[in-house]
């Protein structure tokens, strides 16, 4: 929570509002707000975490396929 999201040119474009480890995908998962022009699916951004830039991708929700039966 609170990590700044930047584009490839290090321009600030958003912020992470919530995040943690996603056991379904065995990777970190986060939700945040970004400027509209950076909200396209498969957009590559970076999160500034402890002075490091970590790559992040914009993906469509839900990002895990539903595998339950609804009668």
């Amino acid at each position: 929570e609170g990590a700044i999201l930047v584009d490839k040119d290090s321009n600030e474009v958003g912020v992470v509002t919530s995040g943690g480890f996603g056991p379904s995908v065995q990777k970190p998962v986060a939700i945040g707000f970004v400027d509209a022009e950076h909200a396209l699916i498969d957009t590559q951004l970076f999160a500034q975490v402890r002075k490091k830039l970590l790559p992040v991708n914009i993906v469509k929700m839900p990002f895990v396929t539903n595998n339950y039966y609804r009668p």
Side-chain angles (χ1 to χ4, degrees), residues 5-46:
L5 297 171
V6 297
D7 64 10
K8 61 180 171 32
D9 299 322
S10 296
N11 299 316
E12 187 175 326
V13 297
V15 64
V16 173
T17 56
S18 179
F21 184 74
S24 299
V25 292
Q26 296 295 304
K27 296 180 184 179
V29 176
I31 297 173
F33 290 107
V34 296
D35 297 336
E37 62 267 17
H38 295 94
L40 301 173
I41 304 301
D42 293 328
T43 299
Q44 175 79 49
L45 297 175
F46 300 90

Side-chain angles (χ1 to χ4, degrees), residues 25-71:
V25 292
Q26 296 295 304
K27 296 180 184 179
V29 176
I31 297 173
F33 290 107
V34 296
D35 297 336
E37 62 267 17
H38 295 94
L40 301 173
I41 304 301
D42 293 328
T43 299
Q44 175 79 49
L45 297 175
F46 300 90
Q48 292 179 340
V49 179
R50 297 184 201 105
K51 298 184 181 180
K52 294 182 183 178
L53 292 179
L54 303 177
V56 298
N57 293 318
I58 306 296
V59 297
K60 185 176 179 178
M61 296 285 287
F63 56 88
V64 176
T65 306
N66 297 333
N67 60 1
Y68 55 84
Y69 174 72
R70 188 179 289 180

